[in-house]
Coordinates of all heavy atoms in Angstrom, one line a residue:
K834 N -5.3 -28.2 18.0 CA -4.8 -29.4 18.4 C -4.4 -29.5 19.9 O -4.7 -30.5 20.5 CB -3.6 -29.8 17.4 CG -3.3 -31.3 17.7 CD -2.0 -31.7 16.9 CE -1.6 -33.2 17.4 NZ -0.3 -33.6 16.9
I835 N -3.7 -28.4 20.3 CA -3.3 -28.4 21.7 C -4.4 -28.3 22.6 O -4.5 -29.0 23.7 CB -2.4 -27.1 21.9 CG1 -1.1 -27.3 21.0 CG2 -2.0 -27.0 23.3 CD1 -0.3 -26.0 20.9
K836 N -5.5 -27.6 22.3 CA -6.8 -27.6 23.1 C -7.3 -29.1 23.2 O -7.7 -29.4 24.4 CB -7.8 -26.7 22.4 CG -7.9 -25.3 23.0 CD -9.1 -24.5 22.4 CE -9.0 -23.1 22.8 NZ -9.9 -22.3 22.1
K837 N -7.4 -29.8 22.1 CA -7.8 -31.2 22.2 C -7.0 -32.0 23.1 O -7.5 -32.8 23.9 CB -7.9 -31.8 20.8 CG -9.1 -31.4 20.0 CD -9.0 -32.2 18.8 CE -10.1 -31.6 17.7 NZ -9.9 -31.8 16.4
I838 N -5.8 -31.8 23.0 CA -4.8 -32.5 23.9 C -5.0 -32.2 25.4 O -5.1 -33.0 26.3 CB -3.4 -32.3 23.5 CG1 -3.2 -33.0 22.2 CG2 -2.4 -32.8 24.6 CD1 -1.9 -32.8 21.5
I839 N -5.3 -30.9 25.7 CA -5.5 -30.5 27.1 C -6.7 -31.1 27.6 O -6.8 -31.6 28.6 CB -5.5 -29.0 27.2 CG1 -4.1 -28.4 27.0 CG2 -6.0 -28.5 28.5 CD1 -3.9 -26.9 26.8
S840 N -7.8 -31.1 26.7 CA -9.0 -31.7 27.3 C -8.9 -33.2 27.5 O -9.5 -33.8 28.3 CB -10.3 -31.4 26.5 OG -10.1 -31.4 25.2
A841 N -8.1 -33.9 26.6 CA -7.8 -35.3 26.7 C -7.1 -35.6 28.0 O -7.4 -36.5 28.8 CB -7.0 -35.9 25.5
F842 N -6.2 -34.7 28.5 CA -5.5 -34.8 29.7 C -6.5 -34.8 30.8 O -6.4 -35.6 31.8 CB -4.4 -33.6 29.9 CG -3.1 -34.0 29.4 CD1 -2.8 -34.5 28.1 CD2 -1.9 -33.8 30.1 CE1 -1.5 -34.8 27.6 CE2 -0.7 -34.1 29.8 CZ -0.5 -34.6 28.5
K843 N -7.3 -33.8 30.8 CA -8.4 -33.6 31.9 C -9.3 -34.9 31.9 O -9.6 -35.4 33.0 CB -9.3 -32.4 31.5 CG -8.5 -31.1 31.6 CD -8.4 -30.4 32.9 CE -7.7 -29.1 33.0 NZ -7.5 -28.6 34.3
D844 N -9.7 -35.4 30.7 CA -10.5 -36.6 30.7 C -9.9 -37.9 31.3 O -10.5 -38.7 31.9 CB -11.0 -36.9 29.2 CG -12.0 -35.9 28.7 OD1 -12.5 -35.1 29.4 OD2 -12.1 -35.9 27.4
L845 N -8.5 -37.9 31.1 CA -7.8 -39.0 31.5 C -7.4 -38.9 33.0 O -6.8 -39.8 33.6 CB -6.5 -39.2 30.7 CG -6.7 -39.7 29.3 CD1 -5.4 -39.4 28.4 CD2 -6.9 -41.2 29.3
G846 N -7.8 -37.8 33.6 CA -7.6 -37.6 35.1 C -6.2 -37.2 35.5 O -5.7 -37.4 36.6
V847 N -5.4 -36.5 34.5 CA -4.1 -36.0 34.9 C -4.3 -34.9 35.8 O -5.0 -33.9 35.6 CB -3.3 -35.6 33.6 CG1 -2.0 -35.0 33.9 CG2 -3.1 -36.8 32.7
T848 N -3.4 -34.8 37.0 CA -3.6 -33.8 38.0 C -2.6 -32.7 37.6 O -3.0 -31.5 37.6 CB -3.4 -34.3 39.3 OG1 -4.1 -35.4 39.6 CG2 -3.6 -33.2 40.4
Y849 N -1.4 -33.0 37.5 CA -0.3 -31.9 37.3 C 0.4 -32.1 36.0 O 0.4 -33.3 35.5 CB 0.8 -32.0 38.3 CG 0.4 -31.5 39.7 CD1 -0.2 -32.3 40.6 CD2 0.8 -30.2 40.1 CE1 -0.5 -31.8 41.9 CE2 0.4 -29.7 41.3 CZ -0.3 -30.4 42.2 OH -0.6 -30.0 43.4
V850 N 0.8 -31.0 35.4 CA 1.6 -31.2 34.1 C 2.8 -30.3 34.2 O 2.9 -29.3 34.7 CB 0.7 -30.7 32.9 CG1 -0.3 -31.6 32.5 CG2 0.2 -29.3 33.1
G851 N 3.9 -30.8 33.5 CA 5.2 -30.1 33.5 C 5.8 -30.2 32.1 O 6.8 -30.9 31.9
P852 N 5.1 -29.6 31.0 CA 5.7 -29.7 29.7 C 7.0 -28.9 29.6 O 7.2 -27.8 30.0 CB 4.6 -29.2 28.8 CG 3.7 -28.2 29.7 CD 4.0 -28.7 31.2
C853 N 8.0 -29.5 28.9 CA 9.2 -28.9 28.6 C 9.8 -29.3 27.3 O 9.1 -29.8 26.4 CB 10.3 -29.1 29.8 SG 10.6 -30.8 30.0
H854 N 11.2 -29.2 27.1 CA 11.8 -29.5 25.9 C 11.1 -29.2 24.6 O 11.0 -28.1 24.3 CB 12.2 -31.0 26.0 CG 12.8 -31.6 24.8 ND1 13.8 -31.0 24.1 CD2 12.6 -32.8 24.1 CE1 14.2 -31.7 23.1 NE2 13.5 -32.8 23.0
C855 N 10.6 -30.2 23.9 CA 10.0 -29.8 22.6 C 8.4 -29.5 22.7 O 7.7 -29.6 21.7 CB 10.0 -31.1 21.7 SG 9.4 -32.6 22.5
S856 N 8.0 -29.1 23.9 CA 6.5 -28.8 24.1 C 6.2 -27.5 23.3 O 5.0 -27.3 22.8 CB 6.1 -28.8 25.5 OG 6.5 -29.9 26.2
G857 N 7.2 -26.6 23.4 CA 6.8 -25.2 22.7 C 6.2 -24.3 23.6 O 5.3 -24.6 24.4
D858 N 6.5 -23.0 23.4 CA 6.1 -21.9 24.2 C 4.4 -21.8 24.2 O 3.8 -21.5 25.1 CB 6.6 -20.5 23.7 CG 8.1 -20.3 24.0 OD1 8.7 -21.2 24.8 OD2 8.7 -19.6 23.3
K859 N 4.0 -22.0 23.0 CA 2.5 -21.8 22.7 C 1.8 -22.9 23.7 O 0.9 -22.5 24.4 CB 2.2 -22.0 21.3 CG 0.7 -21.9 21.0 CD 0.4 -21.9 19.4 CE 1.2 -22.9 18.7 NZ 1.0 -23.0 17.2
A860 N 2.2 -24.2 23.5 CA 1.6 -25.2 24.3 C 1.7 -25.0 25.8 O 0.9 -25.2 26.6 CB 2.1 -26.5 23.8
Q861 N 3.0 -24.7 26.2 CA 3.3 -24.4 27.5 C 2.4 -23.3 28.2 O 1.8 -23.6 29.3 CB 4.8 -24.0 27.8 CG 5.7 -25.2 27.7 CD 7.2 -24.9 27.7 OE1 7.6 -23.9 27.0 NE2 7.9 -25.5 28.5
G862 N 2.3 -22.3 27.4 CA 1.3 -21.2 27.9 C -0.2 -21.7 27.9 O -0.8 -21.4 28.9
M863 N -0.6 -22.5 27.0 CA -2.0 -23.0 27.0 C -2.2 -23.9 28.2 O -3.2 -24.0 28.9 CB -2.4 -23.6 25.7 CG -2.5 -22.6 24.6 SD -2.7 -23.3 23.0 CE -4.4 -24.0 23.1

Side-chain angles (χ1 to χ4, degrees):
K834 188 185 172 190
I835 296 165
K836 259 188 188 166
K837 277 187 192 155
I838 288 169
I839 290 170
S840 44
F842 268 52
K843 297 270 184 188
D844 292 345
L845 287 162
V847 174
T848 309
Y849 283 86
V850 290
C853 61
H854 176 42
C855 55
S856 302
D858 294 343
K859 182 172 46 183
Q861 283 175 311
M863 289 173 72

